[in-house]
PDB file of all heavy atoms in Angstrom:
ATOM      1  N   GLN A 634      60.704  62.003 184.140  1.00  0.00           N
ATOM      2  CA  GLN A 634      60.244  61.256 185.381  1.00  0.00           C
ATOM      3  C   GLN A 634      61.218  61.626 186.427  1.00  0.00           C
ATOM      4  O   GLN A 634      62.435  61.439 186.328  1.00  0.00           O
ATOM      5  CB  GLN A 634      60.295  59.690 185.144  1.00  0.00           C
ATOM      6  CG  GLN A 634      59.809  58.955 186.333  1.00  0.00           C
ATOM      7  CD  GLN A 634      58.453  59.148 186.626  1.00  0.00           C
ATOM      8  OE1 GLN A 634      57.542  59.239 185.781  1.00  0.00           O
ATOM      9  NE2 GLN A 634      58.157  59.276 187.962  1.00  0.00           N
ATOM     10  N   MET A 635      60.676  62.209 187.579  1.00  0.00           N
ATOM     11  CA  MET A 635      61.499  62.679 188.612  1.00  0.00           C
ATOM     12  C   MET A 635      61.095  61.855 189.891  1.00  0.00           C
ATOM     13  O   MET A 635      59.950  61.842 190.320  1.00  0.00           O
ATOM     14  CB  MET A 635      61.206  64.226 188.876  1.00  0.00           C
ATOM     15  CG  MET A 635      61.372  64.952 187.651  1.00  0.00           C
ATOM     16  SD  MET A 635      61.349  66.771 187.916  1.00  0.00           S
ATOM     17  CE  MET A 635      59.601  66.876 188.549  1.00  0.00           C
ATOM     18  N   ASN A 636      61.997  61.170 190.439  1.00  0.00           N
ATOM     19  CA  ASN A 636      61.834  60.302 191.617  1.00  0.00           C
ATOM     20  C   ASN A 636      62.714  60.763 192.748  1.00  0.00           C
ATOM     21  O   ASN A 636      63.661  61.553 192.548  1.00  0.00           O
ATOM     22  CB  ASN A 636      62.129  58.877 191.323  1.00  0.00           C
ATOM     23  CG  ASN A 636      61.259  58.264 190.205  1.00  0.00           C
ATOM     24  OD1 ASN A 636      60.119  58.665 190.080  1.00  0.00           O
ATOM     25  ND2 ASN A 636      61.794  57.303 189.503  1.00  0.00           N
ATOM     26  N   SER A 637      62.458  60.348 193.989  1.00  0.00           N
ATOM     27  CA  SER A 637      63.226  60.688 195.053  1.00  0.00           C
ATOM     28  C   SER A 637      63.424  62.152 195.136  1.00  0.00           C
ATOM     29  O   SER A 637      64.561  62.687 195.422  1.00  0.00           O
ATOM     30  CB  SER A 637      64.509  59.972 195.112  1.00  0.00           C
ATOM     31  OG  SER A 637      64.323  58.536 195.028  1.00  0.00           O
ATOM     32  N   LEU A 638      62.359  63.047 195.023  1.00  0.00           N
ATOM     33  CA  LEU A 638      62.423  64.457 194.994  1.00  0.00           C
ATOM     34  C   LEU A 638      63.012  64.971 196.283  1.00  0.00           C
ATOM     35  O   LEU A 638      62.566  64.504 197.400  1.00  0.00           O
ATOM     36  CB  LEU A 638      61.139  65.070 194.519  1.00  0.00           C
ATOM     37  CG  LEU A 638      60.908  64.878 192.958  1.00  0.00           C
ATOM     38  CD1 LEU A 638      59.419  65.089 192.671  1.00  0.00           C
ATOM     39  CD2 LEU A 638      61.754  65.831 192.166  1.00  0.00           C
ATOM     40  N   LYS A 639      63.734  66.069 196.195  1.00  0.00           N
ATOM     41  CA  LYS A 639      64.317  66.800 197.342  1.00  0.00           C
ATOM     42  C   LYS A 639      63.742  68.240 197.311  1.00  0.00           C
ATOM     43  O   LYS A 639      63.458  68.729 196.264  1.00  0.00           O
ATOM     44  CB  LYS A 639      65.801  66.738 197.231  1.00  0.00           C
ATOM     45  CG  LYS A 639      66.435  65.392 197.113  1.00  0.00           C
ATOM     46  CD  LYS A 639      67.936  65.533 196.913  1.00  0.00           C
ATOM     47  CE  LYS A 639      68.518  64.155 196.715  1.00  0.00           C
ATOM     48  NZ  LYS A 639      70.009  64.228 196.535  1.00  0.00           N
ATOM     49  N   PRO A 640      63.723  68.811 198.462  1.00  0.00           N
ATOM     50  CA  PRO A 640      63.395  70.265 198.448  1.00  0.00           C
ATOM     51  C   PRO A 640      64.243  71.154 197.531  1.00  0.00           C
ATOM     52  O   PRO A 640      63.655  72.094 196.923  1.00  0.00           O
ATOM     53  CB  PRO A 640      63.659  70.687 199.910  1.00  0.00           C
ATOM     54  CG  PRO A 640      63.440  69.381 200.695  1.00  0.00           C
ATOM     55  CD  PRO A 640      64.000  68.388 199.790  1.00  0.00           C
ATOM     56  N   GLU A 641      65.463  70.799 197.351  1.00  0.00           N
ATOM     57  CA  GLU A 641      66.238  71.566 196.383  1.00  0.00           C
ATOM     58  C   GLU A 641      65.965  71.419 194.948  1.00  0.00           C
ATOM     59  O   GLU A 641      66.496  72.010 194.048  1.00  0.00           O
ATOM     60  CB  GLU A 641      67.833  71.332 196.677  1.00  0.00           C
ATOM     61  CG  GLU A 641      68.145  69.818 196.638  1.00  0.00           C
ATOM     62  CD  GLU A 641      68.216  69.240 198.034  1.00  0.00           C
ATOM     63  OE1 GLU A 641      67.370  69.544 198.854  1.00  0.00           O
ATOM     64  OE2 GLU A 641      69.192  68.447 198.294  1.00  0.00           O
ATOM     65  N   ASP A 642      65.100  70.451 194.605  1.00  0.00           N
ATOM     66  CA  ASP A 642      64.506  70.289 193.282  1.00  0.00           C
ATOM     67  C   ASP A 642      63.459  71.322 192.960  1.00  0.00           C
ATOM     68  O   ASP A 642      62.916  71.411 191.837  1.00  0.00           O
ATOM     69  CB  ASP A 642      63.979  68.904 192.998  1.00  0.00           C
ATOM     70  CG  ASP A 642      65.081  67.869 193.167  1.00  0.00           C
ATOM     71  OD1 ASP A 642      66.205  68.066 192.619  1.00  0.00           O
ATOM     72  OD2 ASP A 642      64.819  66.747 193.741  1.00  0.00           O
ATOM     73  N   THR A 643      62.994  72.081 193.916  1.00  0.00           N
ATOM     74  CA  THR A 643      61.953  73.050 193.763  1.00  0.00           C
ATOM     75  C   THR A 643      62.369  74.106 192.777  1.00  0.00           C
ATOM     76  O   THR A 643      63.470  74.736 192.916  1.00  0.00           O
ATOM     77  CB  THR A 643      61.563  73.634 195.114  1.00  0.00           C
ATOM     78  OG1 THR A 643      61.012  72.684 195.960  1.00  0.00           O
ATOM     79  CG2 THR A 643      60.558  74.855 194.889  1.00  0.00           C
ATOM     80  N   ALA A 644      61.647  74.330 191.752  1.00  0.00           N
ATOM     81  CA  ALA A 644      62.014  75.223 190.650  1.00  0.00           C
ATOM     82  C   ALA A 644      60.860  75.249 189.591  1.00  0.00           C
ATOM     83  O   ALA A 644      59.968  74.415 189.674  1.00  0.00           O
ATOM     84  CB  ALA A 644      63.222  74.870 189.975  1.00  0.00           C
ATOM     85  N   VAL A 645      60.972  76.188 188.744  1.00  0.00           N
ATOM     86  CA  VAL A 645      60.184  76.130 187.432  1.00  0.00           C
ATOM     87  C   VAL A 645      60.922  75.406 186.418  1.00  0.00           C
ATOM     88  O   VAL A 645      62.145  75.698 186.232  1.00  0.00           O
ATOM     89  CB  VAL A 645      59.834  77.591 186.944  1.00  0.00           C
ATOM     90  CG1 VAL A 645      59.072  77.465 185.675  1.00  0.00           C
ATOM     91  CG2 VAL A 645      59.078  78.407 187.969  1.00  0.00           C
ATOM     92  N   TYR A 646      60.293  74.332 185.880  1.00  0.00           N
ATOM     93  CA  TYR A 646      60.925  73.486 184.928  1.00  0.00           C
ATOM     94  C   TYR A 646      60.412  73.838 183.517  1.00  0.00           C
ATOM     95  O   TYR A 646      59.226  73.964 183.304  1.00  0.00           O
ATOM     96  CB  TYR A 646      60.610  72.026 185.264  1.00  0.00           C
ATOM     97  CG  TYR A 646      61.424  71.472 186.476  1.00  0.00           C
ATOM     98  CD1 TYR A 646      61.168  71.912 187.744  1.00  0.00           C
ATOM     99  CD2 TYR A 646      62.405  70.587 186.266  1.00  0.00           C
ATOM    100  CE1 TYR A 646      61.879  71.485 188.814  1.00  0.00           C
ATOM    101  CE2 TYR A 646      63.196  70.117 187.308  1.00  0.00           C
ATOM    102  CZ  TYR A 646      62.931  70.530 188.547  1.00  0.00           C
ATOM    103  OH  TYR A 646      63.626  70.111 189.686  1.00  0.00           O
ATOM    104  N   PHE A 647      61.459  73.994 182.587  1.00  0.00           N
ATOM    105  CA  PHE A 647      61.121  74.333 181.296  1.00  0.00           C
ATOM    106  C   PHE A 647      61.698  73.229 180.277  1.00  0.00           C
ATOM    107  O   PHE A 647      62.690  72.684 180.633  1.00  0.00           O
ATOM    108  CB  PHE A 647      61.885  75.626 180.900  1.00  0.00           C
ATOM    109  CG  PHE A 647      61.500  76.838 181.721  1.00  0.00           C
ATOM    110  CD1 PHE A 647      62.190  77.072 182.887  1.00  0.00           C
ATOM    111  CD2 PHE A 647      60.513  77.677 181.207  1.00  0.00           C
ATOM    112  CE1 PHE A 647      61.838  78.170 183.695  1.00  0.00           C
ATOM    113  CE2 PHE A 647      60.173  78.793 181.983  1.00  0.00           C
ATOM    114  CZ  PHE A 647      60.881  79.031 183.181  1.00  0.00           C
ATOM    115  N   CYS A 648      61.037  73.049 179.136  1.00  0.00           N
ATOM    116  CA  CYS A 648      61.681  72.259 178.130  1.00  0.00           C
ATOM    117  C   CYS A 648      62.009  73.065 176.976  1.00  0.00           C
ATOM    118  O   CYS A 648      61.374  74.193 176.732  1.00  0.00           O
ATOM    119  CB  CYS A 648      60.749  71.033 177.729  1.00  0.00           C
ATOM    120  SG  CYS A 648      59.137  71.435 177.005  1.00  0.00           S
ATOM    121  N   ALA A 649      62.934  72.740 176.170  1.00  0.00           N
ATOM    122  CA  ALA A 649      63.341  73.458 174.994  1.00  0.00           C
ATOM    123  C   ALA A 649      63.849  72.505 173.889  1.00  0.00           C
ATOM    124  O   ALA A 649      64.391  71.442 174.178  1.00  0.00           O
ATOM    125  CB  ALA A 649      64.577  74.399 175.403  1.00  0.00           C
ATOM    126  N   ALA A 650      63.551  72.903 172.662  1.00  0.00           N
ATOM    127  CA  ALA A 650      63.937  72.119 171.538  1.00  0.00           C
ATOM    128  C   ALA A 650      65.185  72.780 170.831  1.00  0.00           C
ATOM    129  O   ALA A 650      65.135  73.982 170.709  1.00  0.00           O
ATOM    130  CB  ALA A 650      62.765  72.002 170.492  1.00  0.00           C
ATOM    131  N   MET A 651      66.102  71.978 170.400  1.00  0.00           N
ATOM    132  CA  MET A 651      67.321  72.512 169.749  1.00  0.00           C
ATOM    133  C   MET A 651      67.830  71.472 168.817  1.00  0.00           C
ATOM    134  O   MET A 651      67.521  70.241 168.825  1.00  0.00           O
ATOM    135  CB  MET A 651      68.316  72.777 170.840  1.00  0.00           C
ATOM    136  CG  MET A 651      68.711  71.523 171.618  1.00  0.00           C
ATOM    137  SD  MET A 651      69.593  72.010 173.107  1.00  0.00           S
ATOM    138  CE  MET A 651      69.786  70.463 173.914  1.00  0.00           C
ATOM    139  N   ASP A 652      68.808  71.915 167.997  1.00  0.00           N
ATOM    140  CA  ASP A 652      69.484  70.988 167.146  1.00  0.00           C
ATOM    141  C   ASP A 652      70.171  69.960 167.943  1.00  0.00           C
ATOM    142  O   ASP A 652      70.764  70.173 169.030  1.00  0.00           O
ATOM    143  CB  ASP A 652      70.495  71.779 166.271  1.00  0.00           C
ATOM    144  CG  ASP A 652      71.100  70.904 165.224  1.00  0.00           C
ATOM    145  OD1 ASP A 652      72.046  70.204 165.540  1.00  0.00           O
ATOM    146  OD2 ASP A 652      70.573  70.963 164.035  1.00  0.00           O
ATOM    147  N   ASN A 653      70.248  68.747 167.386  1.00  0.00           N
ATOM    148  CA  ASN A 653      70.896  67.556 168.122  1.00  0.00           C
ATOM    149  C   ASN A 653      72.301  67.870 168.490  1.00  0.00           C
ATOM    150  O   ASN A 653      72.805  67.339 169.466  1.00  0.00           O
ATOM    151  CB  ASN A 653      70.858  66.326 167.290  1.00  0.00           C
ATOM    152  CG  ASN A 653      69.497  65.607 167.373  1.00  0.00           C
ATOM    153  OD1 ASN A 653      69.044  65.292 168.445  1.00  0.00           O
ATOM    154  ND2 ASN A 653      68.701  65.525 166.278  1.00  0.00           N
ATOM    155  N   TYR A 654      72.957  68.714 167.786  1.00  0.00           N
ATOM    156  CA  TYR A 654      74.406  68.981 168.030  1.00  0.00           C
ATOM    157  C   TYR A 654      74.617  69.522 169.423  1.00  0.00           C
ATOM    158  O   TYR A 654      75.685  69.304 170.053  1.00  0.00           O
ATOM    159  CB  TYR A 654      74.821  70.115 166.978  1.00  0.00           C
ATOM    160  CG  TYR A 654      76.255  70.599 167.186  1.00  0.00           C
ATOM    161  CD1 TYR A 654      77.328  69.865 166.781  1.00  0.00           C
ATOM    162  CD2 TYR A 654      76.380  71.843 167.871  1.00  0.00           C
ATOM    163  CE1 TYR A 654      78.643  70.368 167.054  1.00  0.00           C
ATOM    164  CE2 TYR A 654      77.692  72.341 168.053  1.00  0.00           C
ATOM    165  CZ  TYR A 654      78.743  71.617 167.689  1.00  0.00           C
ATOM    166  OH  TYR A 654      79.994  72.117 167.854  1.00  0.00           O
ATOM    167  N   TYR A 655      73.672  70.203 169.980  1.00  0.00           N
ATOM    168  CA  TYR A 655      73.941  70.980 171.202  1.00  0.00           C
ATOM    169  C   TYR A 655      73.660  70.058 172.482  1.00  0.00           C
ATOM    170  O   TYR A 655      73.918  70.585 173.616  1.00  0.00           O
ATOM    171  CB  TYR A 655      72.935  72.094 171.268  1.00  0.00           C
ATOM    172  CG  TYR A 655      73.202  73.106 170.259  1.00  0.00           C
ATOM    173  CD1 TYR A 655      72.232  73.575 169.293  1.00  0.00           C
ATOM    174  CD2 TYR A 655      74.470  73.802 170.141  1.00  0.00           C
ATOM    175  CE1 TYR A 655      72.482  74.441 168.400  1.00  0.00           C
ATOM    176  CE2 TYR A 655      74.703  74.697 169.185  1.00  0.00           C
ATOM    177  CZ  TYR A 655      73.700  75.082 168.290  1.00  0.00           C
ATOM    178  OH  TYR A 655      73.886  75.974 167.250  1.00  0.00           O
ATOM    179  N   CYS A 656      73.338  68.777 172.211  1.00  0.00           N
ATOM    180  CA  CYS A 656      73.107  67.906 173.429  1.00  0.00           C
ATOM    181  C   CYS A 656      74.088  66.758 173.233  1.00  0.00           C
ATOM    182  O   CYS A 656      74.162  66.094 172.274  1.00  0.00           O
ATOM    183  CB  CYS A 656      71.667  67.346 173.392  1.00  0.00           C
ATOM    184  SG  CYS A 656      71.284  65.996 174.518  1.00  0.00           S
ATOM    185  N   SER A 657      74.920  66.569 174.365  1.00  0.00           N
ATOM    186  CA  SER A 657      75.854  65.474 174.296  1.00  0.00           C
ATOM    187  C   SER A 657      75.749  64.761 175.707  1.00  0.00           C
ATOM    188  O   SER A 657      75.037  65.144 176.555  1.00  0.00           O
ATOM    189  CB  SER A 657      77.241  65.980 174.139  1.00  0.00           C
ATOM    190  OG  SER A 657      77.750  66.449 175.380  1.00  0.00           O
ATOM    191  N   ALA A 658      76.435  63.627 175.783  1.00  0.00           N
ATOM    192  CA  ALA A 658      76.398  62.778 176.983  1.00  0.00           C
ATOM    193  C   ALA A 658      77.071  63.515 178.128  1.00  0.00           C
ATOM    194  O   ALA A 658      76.929  63.165 179.356  1.00  0.00           O
ATOM    195  CB  ALA A 658      77.032  61.444 176.707  1.00  0.00           C
ATOM    196  N   TYR A 659      77.854  64.574 177.725  1.00  0.00           N
ATOM    197  CA  TYR A 659      78.549  65.330 178.729  1.00  0.00           C
ATOM    198  C   TYR A 659      77.891  66.611 179.125  1.00  0.00           C
ATOM    199  O   TYR A 659      78.410  67.302 180.066  1.00  0.00           O
ATOM    200  CB  TYR A 659      80.004  65.552 178.304  1.00  0.00           C
ATOM    201  CG  TYR A 659      80.660  64.323 177.804  1.00  0.00           C
ATOM    202  CD1 TYR A 659      80.795  63.919 176.470  1.00  0.00           C
ATOM    203  CD2 TYR A 659      81.151  63.414 178.826  1.00  0.00           C
ATOM    204  CE1 TYR A 659      81.346  62.669 176.122  1.00  0.00           C
ATOM    205  CE2 TYR A 659      81.778  62.142 178.429  1.00  0.00           C
ATOM    206  CZ  TYR A 659      81.840  61.873 177.082  1.00  0.00           C
ATOM    207  OH  TYR A 659      82.426  60.739 176.693  1.00  0.00           O
ATOM    208  N   GLY A 660      76.876  67.048 178.468  1.00  0.00           N
ATOM    209  CA  GLY A 660      76.193  68.231 178.903  1.00  0.00           C
ATOM    210  C   GLY A 660      75.582  68.985 177.648  1.00  0.00           C
ATOM    211  O   GLY A 660      75.702  68.518 176.447  1.00  0.00           O
ATOM    212  N   LEU A 661      75.071  70.144 177.967  1.00  0.00           N
ATOM    213  CA  LEU A 661      74.501  70.972 176.913  1.00  0.00           C
ATOM    214  C   LEU A 661      75.569  71.910 176.422  1.00  0.00           C
ATOM    215  O   LEU A 661      76.272  72.464 177.253  1.00  0.00           O
ATOM    216  CB  LEU A 661      73.308  71.772 177.444  1.00  0.00           C
ATOM    217  CG  LEU A 661      72.142  70.944 177.826  1.00  0.00           C
ATOM    218  CD1 LEU A 661      71.161  71.538 178.895  1.00  0.00           C
ATOM    219  CD2 LEU A 661      71.334  70.539 176.662  1.00  0.00           C
ATOM    220  N   TYR A 662      75.683  72.089 175.116  1.00  0.00           N
ATOM    221  CA  TYR A 662      76.614  73.074 174.546  1.00  0.00           C
ATOM    222  C   TYR A 662      76.408  74.437 175.118  1.00  0.00           C
ATOM    223  O   TYR A 662      75.292  74.953 175.140  1.00  0.00           O
ATOM    224  CB  TYR A 662      76.494  72.988 173.052  1.00  0.00           C
ATOM    225  CG  TYR A 662      77.436  73.810 172.311  1.00  0.00           C
ATOM    226  CD1 TYR A 662      78.766  73.231 172.165  1.00  0.00           C
ATOM    227  CD2 TYR A 662      77.157  74.989 171.699  1.00  0.00           C
ATOM    228  CE1 TYR A 662      79.816  73.957 171.452  1.00  0.00           C
ATOM    229  CE2 TYR A 662      78.142  75.717 170.957  1.00  0.00           C
ATOM    230  CZ  TYR A 662      79.458  75.112 170.831  1.00  0.00           C
ATOM    231  OH  TYR A 662      80.365  75.794 170.123  1.00  0.00           O
ATOM    232  N   PRO A 663      77.415  75.074 175.622  1.00  0.00           N
ATOM    233  CA  PRO A 663      77.274  76.419 176.251  1.00  0.00           C
ATOM    234  C   PRO A 663      76.544  77.510 175.469  1.00  0.00           C
ATOM    235  O   PRO A 663      75.901  78.263 176.023  1.00  0.00           O
ATOM    236  CB  PRO A 663      78.749  76.719 176.656  1.00  0.00           C
ATOM    237  CG  PRO A 663      79.449  75.481 176.665  1.00  0.00           C
ATOM    238  CD  PRO A 663      78.924  74.622 175.625  1.00  0.00           C
ATOM    239  N   PHE A 664      76.773  77.404 174.196  1.00  0.00           N
ATOM    240  CA  PHE A 664      76.246  78.562 173.410  1.00  0.00           C
ATOM    241  C   PHE A 664      75.221  77.994 172.533  1.00  0.00           C
ATOM    242  O   PHE A 664      75.066  78.436 171.356  1.00  0.00           O
ATOM    243  CB  PHE A 664      77.328  79.189 172.626  1.00  0.00           C
ATOM    244  CG  PHE A 664      78.332  79.716 173.462  1.00  0.00           C
ATOM    245  CD1 PHE A 664      79.600  79.096 173.650  1.00  0.00           C
ATOM    246  CD2 PHE A 664      78.111  80.984 174.216  1.00  0.00           C
ATOM    247  CE1 PHE A 664      80.611  79.656 174.399  1.00  0.00           C
ATOM    248  CE2 PHE A 664      79.118  81.489 175.002  1.00  0.00           C
ATOM    249  CZ  PHE A 664      80.338  80.845 175.151  1.00  0.00           C
ATOM    250  N   ALA A 665      74.340  77.029 172.981  1.00  0.00           N
ATOM    251  CA  ALA A 665      73.430  76.414 172.264  1.00  0.00           C
ATOM    252  C   ALA A 665      72.275  77.398 171.768  1.00  0.00           C
ATOM    253  O   ALA A 665      72.035  78.397 172.464  1.00  0.00           O
ATOM    254  CB  ALA A 665      72.617  75.302 172.970  1.00  0.00           C
ATOM    255  N   GLN A 666      71.797  77.175 170.598  1.00  0.00           N
ATOM    256  CA  GLN A 666      70.705  78.025 170.069  1.00  0.00           C
ATOM    257  C   GLN A 666      69.393  77.206 170.239  1.00  0.00           C
ATOM    258  O   GLN A 666      69.334  76.098 169.815  1.00  0.00           O
ATOM    259  CB  GLN A 666      70.893  78.247 168.564  1.00  0.00           C
ATOM    260  CG  GLN A 666      72.231  78.950 168.218  1.00  0.00           C
ATOM    261  CD  GLN A 666      72.163  80.464 168.586  1.00  0.00           C
ATOM    262  OE1 GLN A 666      71.140  81.118 168.439  1.00  0.00           O
ATOM    263  NE2 GLN A 666      73.291  80.935 168.940  1.00  0.00           N
TER     264      GLN A 666
END
């Protein structure tokens, strides 16, 4: 859900599925598979 959208949000948006290990509260693991 994207609210208060700004022009700088303009992009192609992708989703990806990965092992839970690669997602943390601090970010995405840099070398995620």
Side-chain angles (χ1 to χ4, degrees):
Q634 178 67 41
M635 306 188 298
N636 298 329
S637 302
L638 283 162
K639 306 175 181 180
E641 51 264 42
D642 294 318
T643 296
V645 179
Y646 284 71
F647 301 87
C648 62
M651 59 194 176
D652 188 278
N653 279 300
Y654 172 81
Y655 296 121
C656 169
S657 80
Y659 306 102
L661 293 159
Y662 188 73
F664 301 102
Q666 304 284 328

